[in-house]
Structure formats: structure tokens, C-alpha cells
């Protein structure tokens, strides 16, 4: 079946540094990638939608300068958290529509900013 | 805009028993997809079951089945013969069918505990 590989699964960084999260579609072409943020015991909150070769679309309230999304190829989308602060600590998940009408999720990245 | 409501923040069930998780949604569209996802402690999102709105027959996947009531905009999940491995967060989700690649709209989730 369709697989989205997400890395890293866990990262700790110092406040003020940047962190890049990668999502790769392994056996299908992901023209679109959705990026979600999930706080403990809460639902997934859509942050942005990236489309290959074009600018990402951000949801209201999401700072596009802080959460840089790049979708340079049909198999790779990246989310960079710039100048990270403790309030950016969260669980980030990517998801791509697969061949049928389903969605494949990455395994998530737990970001801790200290 | 579409919304998905899960009114049960937490549920519990005895092992081998049956439990039903509720989900209602609001939409003005006639054609769409509905999903139930499971998120275990690993936090990997796992598709449990999917329903196309144009299909009247309720979807089933082994011990999992849904009761899809389109007029009432209700989409409940029934888990039969509950197992310890069923303990997880369960999210109900909606997706429009009409346009290209659109994101899922999630409910707030129901945390299911299975008691041995």
C-alpha cells in the first residue's frame, strides 16, 4: 500500500534554532501534502497544504514565515520550523492523498524546543 | 464549511464486548466520504473504515462496522468483540468528493479504553 515516510520521528532543539521535517511518498506521487499539528489529547489541526511546484496554502492563524513548507518534487515535502520557541513544541503529522481516495499519514514528528 | 462532532470524549468497554462510538457531521453537500481513523499510543494514524456517501450499504471491516444515516448526518462506529489492542483515540473524518485534493475534516476524537 501507499507509504509516507516521515523523519525525524523525534527531535529536541534549542530555542532560536530551525528544524526541518521531511515527508516522502515512497511508492506513489504525492502532488499534495497536508501538514497537521496535534497537541496532547487533541485532534489534528490543519496547518497548511502544499502542492508540488507551487506555494503552500496556510490556514488562518498559521505563521507562514515561521512554518516554511516546500514541495519541490512529487515525492518530497518539507516543513521547516524557523527560530523555534518552546510554544512550537508539538506533534507534527503529514498526510497525502494516495491512488484511491484514501489518505496516507506519516508516522509523525515529536518536536521539543528547550 | 463542514464540521464533524464527536460527543463522547472518552468511552470504555470490557474486553470481548461491543462498543459504539458516535459521530455527527454537518454539510450541504450530497456526495462525500466519511472515515474512522484509529490513533494508538504510537500516534500513527490508521484507517479503520471508510464510507462513500452515495452507497446505502454500511461499510464493514471484520469487527468494525458503521451505521451510516445520511439523512440524520450520523456515522457511528461499532466495534465488536473488543480487544485490548483496540484501545486508542478514534477520529471521525469527512472529506468532500467534489473537488481535487482536499484535506480531511476531523472531529475532536474519542478515547477508547478496553478493560481486561
Amino acid at each position: 500500500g501507499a507509504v509516507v515516510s516521515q523523519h525525524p520521528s523525534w527531535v529536541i532543539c534549542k530555542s532560536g534554532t530551525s528544524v526541518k521535517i521531511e515527508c516522502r511518498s515512497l511508492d506513489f506521487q504525492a502532488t499534495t501534502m497536508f501538514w497537521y499539528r496535534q497537541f496532547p489529547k487533541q485532534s489534528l489541526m490543519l496547518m497548511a497544504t502544499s502542492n508540488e511546484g507551487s506555494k503552500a496554502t496556510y490556514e488562518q492563524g498559521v505563521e507562514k514565515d515561521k512554518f516554511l513548507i516546500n514541495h519541490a518534487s512529487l515525492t518530497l515535502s518539507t516543513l521547516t520550523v524557523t527560530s523555534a520557541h518552546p510554544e512550537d513544541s508539538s506533534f507534527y503529522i503529514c498526510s497525502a492523498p494516495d491512488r484511491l481516495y484514501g489518505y496516507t499519514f506519516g508516522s509523525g514528528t515529536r518536536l521539543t524546543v528547550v | 464549511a463542514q464540521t464533524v462532532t464527536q460527543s463522547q470524549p472518552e468511552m470504555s468497554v470490557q474486553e470481548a464486548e461491543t462498543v459504539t462510538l458516535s459521530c455527527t457531521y454537518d454539510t450541504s453537500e450530497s456526495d462525500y466520504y466519511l472515515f474512522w481513523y484509529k490513533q494508538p499510543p504510537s500516534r500513527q494514524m490508521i484507517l479503520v473504515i471508510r464510507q462513500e456517501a452515495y452507497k446505502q450499504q454500511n461499510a464493514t471491516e471484520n469487527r468494525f462496522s458503521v451505521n451510516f444515516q445520511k439523512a440524520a448526518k450520523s456515522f457511528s462506529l461499532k466495534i465488536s468483540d473488543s480487544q485490548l489492542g483496540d484501545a486508542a483515540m478514534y477520529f471521525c473524518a469527512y472529506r468532500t468528493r467534489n473537488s481535487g485534493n482536499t484535506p480531511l475534516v476531523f472531529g475532536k476524537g474519542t478515547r477508547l479504553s478496553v478493560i481486561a
Side-chain angles (χ1 to χ4, degrees):
Chain A
V3 175
V4 171
S5 176
Q6 182 171 351
H7 293 282
S9 57
W10 177 73
V11 58
I12 298 178
C13 71
K14 292 184 177 181
S15 186
T17 62
S18 296
V19 173
K20 180 184 284 189
I21 301 170
E22 293 188 349
C23 281
R24 293 180 183 274
S25 57
L26 298 187
D27 52 358
F28 69 103
Q29 293 183 334
T31 56
T32 299
M33 190 73 73
F34 303 110
W35 287 92
Y36 295 89
R37 182 174 183 175
Q38 185 180 31
F39 291 103
K41 298 185 179 181
Q42 293 189 22
S43 188
L44 283 71
M45 180 187 74
L46 181 67
M47 299 175 62
T49 301
S50 70
N51 292 293
E52 187 266 336
S54 62
K55 289 185 178 181
T57 302
Y58 291 82
E59 297 300 302
Q60 190 173 10
V62 177
E63 299 177 60
K64 60 182 180 181
D65 294 331
K66 165 166 280 296
F67 299 101
L68 298 179
I69 291 175
N70 185 277
H71 197 145
S73 77
L74 289 172
T75 59
L76 176 64
S77 178
T78 61
L79 166 66
T80 301
V81 183
T82 62
S83 186
H85 292 284
E87 58 266 29
D88 299 324
S89 298
S90 191
F91 190 70
Y92 295 88
I93 310 175
C94 60
S95 174
D98 57 35
R99 289 184 206 87
L100 302 176
Y101 35 77
Y103 292 76
T104 301
F105 287 83
S107 54
T109 297
R110 184 183 304 276
L111 170 64
T112 302
V113 184
V114 298
Chain B
Q2 296 83 18
T3 59
V4 176
T5 302
Q6 293 178 250
S7 59
Q8 306 154 317
E10 296 184 352
M11 291 282 285
S12 62
V13 61
Q14 292 280 349
E15 197 175 5
E17 296 296 311
T18 296
V19 65
T20 298
L21 307 185
S22 300
C23 173
T24 59
Y25 57 95
D26 188 26
T27 184
S28 59
E29 299 173 337
S30 60
D31 202 7
Y32 46 86
Y33 301 107
L34 294 166
F35 305 82
W36 277 98
Y37 280 91
K38 171 185 178 181
Q39 189 180 42
S42 68
R43 303 188 81 169
Q44 173 71 56
M45 295 290 284
I46 301 168
L47 176 64
V48 175
I49 202 164
R50 175 176 56 215
Q51 175 82 42
E52 290 96 321
Y54 67 87
K55 290 186 177 179
Q56 293 185 339
Q57 187 173 8
N58 290 326
T60 62
E61 287 289 341
N62 301 312
R63 298 183 295 108
F64 299 88
S65 62
V66 297
N67 183 1
F68 174 47
Q69 300 291 327
K70 191 173 183 179
K73 297 180 182 175
S74 172
F75 184 60
S76 61
L77 174 69
K78 185 172 79 172
I79 306 174
S80 304
D81 185 26
S82 296
Q83 300 175 0
L84 295 177
D86 295 334
M89 279 290 288
Y90 286 82
F91 293 101
C92 180
Y94 170 104
R95 184 216 158 184
T96 182
R97 187 185 174 122
N98 293 336
S99 56
N101 290 325
T102 55
L104 294 169
V105 177
F106 287 97
K108 291 188 175 182
T110 297
R111 181 171 300 279
L112 178 66
S113 301
V114 180
I115 303 166

